Amino acid sequence: MSTSDTLHVRVRRAIAAGDLSPAAFDEIALDLARFQADSVPPFGKLCKARGVDLTKASVADVPALPTDAFRYARIASHPETEDVRVFRTSGTTRGELRGQHPFRTLETYEAAALAWAMPCLFPGLRPERAIALVPDPSVVDDSSLSFMVQLFIDRLGMSATFALSLERGVDVAAVERAAEEARRAGSPTMVLSTAFGLALLLDAIGDRRLQLPERSRVMVTGGFKGRTREIPSAELYARTAQALGIAERDIVGEYGMTELSSQLYEPRLAEDPPSAPGTYRPPPWLRVEAADPETLRVLPRGSEGIARFVDLANVDSVGFVQTLDWVSVDERGDVRLFGRAPGAEPRGCSLALEDLFGDRSHRGPAA
């Protein structure tokens, strides 16, 4: 069994167990870092440039790869011929230069997605129908979000209506038909959408109400990056609840990204009263810390900084990922998301990219 296969098995066992002690997490994370430094050239180069000895380092010492690296290089431990799927970022703010996340196997990704969605999205509920305001994965096969939505639909056996296309926007008539069919059948329905997809639907229906059956829920993800308008989360949740005839607490935010294999969710269904929108809980196999934007060093809990992720499910890419999202992390590990880092690209991320690619003008597209 290869090192990659062994790590996949260890991570899936940790996911199935549903809990990880800090020591157990650190052990897998450091083994992952050593494997990836040897097998993923950009990550190995970053570790060397930062002078990190992975035989002695702690998890906090391991440098995190900026998400922009996924745009400029192939971030994978395996050759392209072994790819079973490549997820790509939307590219809304950088033209055609899109980040790429190759996968040699999807088994660990699927295990992670399902294991955390069940208690966060579906506690006490097995919805029979889904309305998906995301692109159909049969048409857009490189979207990690569409893949995840289809995974939920397949594993829960939901009948599904995909009602959003990149060219035509939301198919309001299809949503209305699906809602009417769900009402007639009395079938709890799961709406799976981006924030922008919900905004388009709300604009299209105006003051009309698409009453969903009791116990229906909504998962909403993403923001309005690159869009001409933005709706605050509290307003979006209130308008969605009114339009669909559901309680606001039954709207749950998801926080994920192409460069990760794990997702975070607002713990609204687990708390009474539900937490305000914008606070997300990671699964046990994902650690989130706020990092100093200048040095990229991990900050004490409660501090604000840019989000650093250690995702054990990222076996064949890089498990240590640095983003530009501005967050704070409390003692429990819950993440408060404030948006993107203010101002220009943080100096720490810029320097990390220079360690990898030199002068920014010499970077090429992802290979």
Side-chain angles (χ1 to χ4, degrees):
M1 185 179 288
S2 69
T3 302
S4 168
D5 288 336
T6 300
L7 285 165
H8 275 289
V9 170
R10 289 173 65 190
V11 172
R12 288 199 296 270
R13 285 176 178 166
I15 291 170
D19 197 10
L20 270 176
S21 68
F25 183 100
D26 287 359
E27 181 181 357
I28 298 176
L30 290 171
D31 286 346
L32 198 63
R34 287 187 279 267
F35 163 66
Q36 292 171 346
D38 288 339
S39 60
V40 183
F43 183 62
K45 185 176 180 180
L46 180 62
C47 291
K48 184 177 180 179
R50 293 302 170 93
V52 176
D53 182 352
L54 291 176
T55 65
K56 302 176 181 178
S58 68
V59 172
D61 294 330
V62 179
L65 196 71
T67 52
D68 269 355
F70 287 79
R71 300 179 187 273
Y72 302 121
R74 178 175 168 85
I75 308 300
S77 64
H78 58 281
E80 193 171 349
T81 54
E82 295 182 14
D83 290 348
V84 298
R85 185 68 65 100
V86 178
F87 294 137
R88 295 179 176 85
T89 59
S90 61
T92 54
T93 59
R94 292 179 184 260
E96 293 303 312
L97 190 58
R98 301 169 65 191
Q100 301 185 30
H101 190 175
F103 285 79
R104 186 178 66 86
T105 173
L106 289 165
E107 191 173 352
T108 302
Y109 180 100
E110 292 177 352
L114 288 165
W116 200 230
M118 295 309 291
C120 294
L121 283 179
F122 305 109
L125 177 69
R126 290 296 180 271
E128 300 172 16
R129 298 168 184 263
I131 298 173
L133 300 183
V134 301
D136 189 323
S138 66
V139 177
V140 181
D141 65 358
D142 61 359
S143 164
S144 58
L145 175 60
S146 293
F147 178 87
M148 184 182 74
V149 165
Q150 186 66 61
L151 177 67
F152 296 163
I153 289 167
D154 291 343
R155 294 300 175 90
L156 274 71
M158 295 184 281
S159 62
T161 297
F162 282 88
L164 183 142
S165 74
L166 298 178
E167 296 79 20
R168 298 182 298 276
V170 174
D171 184 342
V172 178
V175 175
E176 290 176 328
R177 285 194 301 272
E180 182 180 356
E181 291 170 3
R183 284 196 305 274
R184 286 204 305 263
S187 302
T189 299
M190 193 77 199
V191 177
L192 302 150
S193 181
T194 63
F196 190 66
L198 281 179
L200 289 176
L201 176 64
L202 293 171
D203 285 349
I205 65 175
D207 294 331
R208 284 180 290 159
R209 186 168 175 173
L210 304 177
Q211 179 68 52
L212 293 179
E214 290 185 6
R215 303 177 69 232
S216 294
R217 290 178 186 164
V218 174
M219 183 202 83
V220 58
T221 186
F224 294 83
K225 183 175 66 175
R227 307 296 186 179
T228 57
R229 63 186 295 248
E230 183 170 346
I231 302 176
S233 293
E235 179 185 342
L236 181 67
Y237 284 29
R239 290 179 59 191
T240 299
Q242 183 176 16
L244 301 182
I246 63 174
E248 280 191 48
R249 72 166 301 140
D250 288 323
I251 302 172
V252 177
E254 183 260 9
Y255 176 21
M257 59 190 70
T258 303
E259 298 86 355
L260 299 178
S261 297
S262 302
Q263 300 80 36
L264 303 84
Y265 290 95
E266 293 174 337
R268 295 170 62 80
L269 298 176
E271 297 182 346
D272 191 14
S275 57
T279 297
Y280 298 85
R281 184 162 295 164
W285 54 90
L286 176 66
R287 182 178 294 171
V288 189
E289 303 285 0
D292 186 294
E294 293 289 325
T295 66
L296 301 186
R297 292 187 181 277
V298 173
L299 295 170
R301 291 289 172 94
S303 303
E304 292 186 17
I306 51 177
R308 164 191 163 100
F309 293 87
V310 183
D311 186 357
L312 301 186
N314 263 13
V315 174
D316 292 313
S317 53
V318 170
F320 296 75
V321 177
Q322 183 65 62
T323 76
L324 299 181
D325 290 340
W326 194 256
V327 301
S328 66
V329 183
D330 66 19
E331 290 299 327
R332 180 172 182 165
D334 288 353
V335 180
R336 181 67 179 167
L337 175 63
F338 300 107
R340 302 288 280 180
E345 180 179 68
R347 176 173 170 79
C349 290
S350 179
L351 292 175
L353 289 168
E354 287 181 19
D355 284 340
L356 288 171
F357 305 111
D359 186 277
R360 299 184 69 175
S361 63
H362 295 148
R363 297 179 200 161

